[in-house]
Structure formats: C-alpha cells, structure tokens
Amino acid sequence: MSLAQQLTQDMKTALKSGDKERLSVIRMVLASIKKSEIDNRGPLNDEGTLEVVLREVKQRQDSISEYEKADRQDLADKERFELGVLHAYLPKQLSEEEVRAIVLETIQAVGASSKADMGKAMGAILPKVKGKTDGKLVSKLVQEALS
C-alpha cells in the first residue's frame, strides 16, 4: 500500500472513529500532497509523497520552537500532537550510532578529509538517510568526523 493510500485509509478510520484532531492533521497532509500534485502536473510517487510529509514535519518542528520562544505552550502542544501524527508516516528512524556509521563510511568513500569537504560529504550522505533522521544530527556528526 502506498503512503498516499495509507493516509487516505487512516483518514477514513479517523472519520469513522470521530477522532477530529487526527482527522484534521491527515486532511492537511493530503491537501499538501494534492497541491504538490497540481504544482508538478501529475501524481506523486511514494518518494514525492514522503517529501511532502517531511516538509510538513519540518514546519511543525519550526513552529514548536517559535511558539516556545513566544511562551505559547498551548500552541506548541498542538503542534507536537500534529508532529506525533506525522511521525507515523515516516520510515523507521535511524539511531545515532547507525547514522554515525553511515557518516564515517561515506566520508571515507568520498575521500573527505577536512571541513572544506563538508559539502561533498553532506551531498553524499543526505540521500542515504532521507526521511530516516534529522539533517541537523547528520551535520553535527559530519563536523565531528571532519574535525
């Protein structure tokens, strides 16, 4: 079952069970997917759908930090709930040790040796871990490895 089909199925389940908050989040994601399909002039594959979900996750994370800075805990909690719903549609997240192993292996493979090679290393690593970990963690681990 594709990610879009899973979202549609979960929307129907939330609708039948009366889970309005979850239903709202799923509808929002489906609307973003539909907008991307219109922008791209065609249906999205699973990778494109995952990119939309990742974009929504990033928006929630940014909103949470902004709401916390503004001392709006009620809105931050709402965003955290939405983030929790969205995480169910992401691939299994990698542990820090698994990411570190990928980083070290890739740095060695591309021949990066200094911080000047960070862009080259990040360019090779990010496609391998897309959707499976946070880019900030990857960046931190690459900086540590190249120091």
Side-chain angles (χ1 to χ4, degrees):
M1 179 182 298
S2 75
L3 184 56
Q5 290 171 331
Q6 181 66 43
L7 281 161
T8 304
Q9 188 65 37
D10 289 352
M11 181 182 71
K12 291 175 185 176
T13 303
L15 189 61
K16 289 177 183 176
S17 69
D19 189 351
K20 292 180 182 178
E21 292 85 11
R22 186 174 176 77
L23 177 63
S24 173
V25 175
I26 294 171
R27 281 183 171 163
M28 176 265 315
V29 172
L30 287 171
S32 293
I33 291 169
K34 190 67 170 169
K35 182 185 180 313
S36 287
E37 287 177 342
I38 291 169
D39 291 346
N40 293 331
R41 300 183 194 276
L44 296 177
N45 57 15
D46 261 356
E47 187 175 319
T49 305
L50 179 61
E51 285 180 24
V52 172
V53 174
L54 288 170
R55 186 171 56 234
E56 295 294 330
V57 166
K58 177 92 171 88
Q59 286 176 356
R60 296 303 165 289
Q61 291 169 337
D62 293 345
S63 295
I64 289 169
S65 67
E66 291 300 317
Y67 287 142
E68 287 176 343
K69 286 179 190 172
D71 202 26
R72 291 295 310 266
Q73 198 59 42
D74 55 329
L75 295 174
D77 290 342
K78 180 181 179 288
E79 295 289 332
R80 270 194 201 88
F81 172 78
E82 291 180 3
L83 189 59
V85 172
L86 292 172
H87 273 291
Y89 301 103
L90 296 177
K92 179 186 171 291
Q93 300 295 294
L94 298 173
S95 69
E96 186 171 336
E97 293 78 30
E98 291 171 318
V99 176
R100 188 181 310 273
I102 292 170
V103 165
L104 294 174
E105 175 187 314
T106 307
I107 286 175
Q108 191 174 27
V110 298
S113 58
S114 68
K115 286 198 176 195
D117 297 328
M118 186 165 172
K120 181 167 59 170
M122 290 293 289
I125 295 167
L126 288 177
K128 294 180 181 180
V129 297
K130 185 174 191 162
K132 297 177 185 173
T133 191
D134 184 36
K136 292 177 186 175
L137 173 64
V138 174
S139 177
K140 181 184 108 182
L141 294 175
V142 170
Q143 286 178 356
E144 287 175 7
L146 294 177
S147 295

